[in-house]
Amino acid sequence: MPQETIGTSEERSPLSKERVLRGAIALADEKGLAALTMRSLAQELGAKPMSLYHYVANKDEMLDGVVDLVFSEIELPSSAGDWRVEIRRRADSARQALQRHPWATALMESRTTPGPATLRHHDAILGTLRSAGFSVKMAAHAYALLDAYVYGSALQEAALPFSGPDTVAIVAEPIVQLFAEGEYPHLMEIATEHVLKPGYDFGDEFEFGLNLILDALAAALPADQA
Amino acid sequence: MPQETIGTSEERSPLSKERVLRGAIALADEKGLAALTMRSLAQELGAKPMSLYHYVANKDEMLDGVVDLVFSEIELPSSAGDWRVEIRRRADSARQALQRHPWATALMESRTTPGPATLRHHDAILGTLRSAGFSVKMAAHAYALLDAYVYGSALQEAALPFSGPDTVAIVAEPIVQLFAEGEYPHLMEIATEHVLKPGYDFGDEFEFGLNLILDALAAALPADQA
DNA sequence: ACTCTTTTCGTACTTAGTACGGCAGCTTTG
DNA sequence: CAAAGCTGCCGTACTAAGTACGAAAAGAGT
């Protein structure tokens, strides 16, 4: 006597590439990237491991799809409207997406085959910059700069031992202890006088850099248009 | 009858943590990060897998050590001398190190336990910025910005399907083919009119952003000092 | 109901990390 | 110089994970 639809937690709609990828994201969000195995994912989906291979060629290809899905969560900038507003919107949106899925930053590296959402994303940014009046070359420069900054920030934030504005103090003690040896005076200074202060939020750090970059790009625009 | 010292290629000095880590780097450089397994590394070192565990607790810890070794390859900025020169030097040096070991960027993400070289590195940069006159807060901002940019650029460069200034054309064809569908007009434009042009070098892209950031930081210095 | 197609899965092989205990050679000590 | 101990090296073997291969089950269409 099979147990049929007794399963309480696991969803049991038919599988699909979409469901597999979304399940993978959910699993990675919950348990971390290391816990994302074909076997555990199958279980999560109420299926058996080999069933997944009907929708993805192999795990690597699945990860490509996952990365593209994460990219699709990022708001696209519009080519109309103020370019600074649009670029900022997408930068913030990208940071949020990579905050929701901290493991994704690591994945983006190894995957050299961008998916449609990724390409669309890049295309939209370049479009916005070109519409703003940047030359082809300058748009490429600006794009590389902005993108490097956004991903680099995501990398940094993912590496931070804390996440919210308030969880800082929890891990502060052992770190300060380590620095107290006097070997890293400047790290010590920045830690105690800035990062470990109550109101610290990495988001402020991010905004500072983003503003600085946008201002500098805006200043370079007139000369580029000439 | 043991074959003694007949082995031609494999080094056969006694093992050490140093040798294990350097072997790991060499293997990753040669065959890629995926090929770096405890088994293959042991073979490379002319030893058996389990021997490695005398020098590293487990693979993860080994990777931590590897990352720290890569960091130690980066030139430290000095607190004396012009801060822009020093910061630029370390930025270029960092890019070179991450170019030599493209797989390292991916590793730096997951490792939340920085080694001594990493800490020394960060400390030196902060020291240089502080000596230049930046306030604690501004130094933190500048540091986050610069670092995010350097790592982000490394990430971008590692994701590029080509490496040198001239290998571009090789992979250009299929890419252009893909874009030609007209779905990504701006990517297409940047590709054909900029990236795929003969003299293209990602290094120029990097320098542009670095200059822009340094200029903007320099402009912010006076107000910060006041 | 039968056949064709699509979806799901059972079995089993391979690779990789690593726990555990043994042994060899050098070092120390009587 | 021999017995005892320590250090570094490794043989064996277990577990987890990706996935090849082919078959069973579930639908679809006539």
Side-chain angles (χ1 to χ4, degrees), chain B residues 152-167:
Chain B
S153 292
L155 215 62
Q156 280 184 349
E157 194 166 5
L160 283 181
F162 51 86
S163 43
D166 289 319
T167 46

Side-chain angles (χ1 to χ4, degrees), chain A residues 161 171-185 187-189 191-192 196, chain B residues 112-120 123:
Chain A
V171 288
E173 212 34 65
I175 296 180
V176 171
Q177 200 68 33
L178 180 69
F179 291 176
E181 315 296 311
E183 284 209 74
Y184 312 108
L187 270 177
M188 178 78 176
E189 183 187 49
T192 57
L196 298 183
Chain B
T112 359
T113 36
T118 309
L119 293 172
R120 213 165 17 245
D123 196 68

Side-chain angles (χ1 to χ4, degrees), chain B:
Chain B
M1 55 181 95
Q3 59 171 42
E4 306 209 4
T5 49
I6 302 185
T8 52
S9 62
E10 315 307 346
E11 30 269 273
R12 217 36 183 90
S13 36
L15 287 179
S16 72
K17 180 155 187 176
E18 171 94 10
R19 261 172 59 69
V20 169
L21 296 183
R22 293 212 180 279
I25 290 181
L27 223 181
D29 283 346
E30 261 180 72
K31 311 269 185 64
L33 190 56
L36 174 55
T37 69
M38 299 306 273
R39 290 170 139 97
S40 60
L41 175 56
Q43 185 156 37
E44 178 97 352
L45 294 172
K48 294 298 154 66
M50 288 315 292
S51 304
L52 306 181
Y53 286 91
H54 249 272
Y55 304 96
V56 294
N58 50 52
K59 189 174 182 180
D60 270 2
E61 201 223 54
M62 184 182 82
L63 294 179
D64 282 344
V66 161
V67 167
D68 204 50
L69 246 189
V70 169
F71 260 95
S72 75
E73 290 183 14
I74 303 175
E75 275 184 60
L76 294 181
S78 147
S79 286
D82 181 47
W83 68 273
R84 294 189 51 160
V85 172
E86 294 299 322
I87 294 292
R88 165 186 302 284
R89 200 157 52 83
R90 97 86 192 185
D92 287 333
S93 173
R95 190 174 87 94
Q96 282 164 30
L98 294 176
Q99 243 179 320
R100 276 195 297 275
H101 316 295
W103 43 266
T105 320
L107 279 189
M108 296 193 306
E109 170 275 353
S110 48
R111 326 271 116 222
T112 359
T113 36
T118 309
L119 293 172
R120 213 165 17 245
H121 176 90
H122 293 164
D123 196 68
I125 296 170
L126 287 170
T128 301
L129 292 171
R130 291 287 286 134
S131 295
F134 287 102
S135 66
V136 171
K137 186 177 195 166
M138 187 60 118
H141 285 157
Y143 167 74
L145 168 54
L146 285 164
D147 235 42
Y149 180 64
V150 170
Y151 297 146
S153 292
L155 215 62
Q156 280 184 349
E157 194 166 5
L160 283 181
F162 51 86
S163 43
D166 289 319
T167 46
V168 174
I170 301 173
V171 288
E173 212 33 66
I175 296 180
V176 171
Q177 201 68 33
L178 180 68
F179 291 177
E181 315 295 312
E183 284 208 73
Y184 312 107
H186 302 106
L187 271 177
M188 177 77 176
E189 183 186 49
I190 249 74
T192 57
E193 292 183 33
H194 183 62
V195 180
L196 299 183
K197 280 285 183 63
Y200 180 79
D201 181 357
F202 186 83
D204 296 340
E205 223 81 79
F206 181 74
E207 289 304 323
F208 170 86
L210 186 55
N211 283 329
L212 182 141
I213 291 172
L214 288 175
D215 284 349
L217 287 176
L221 222 198
D224 187 48
Q225 281 174 319

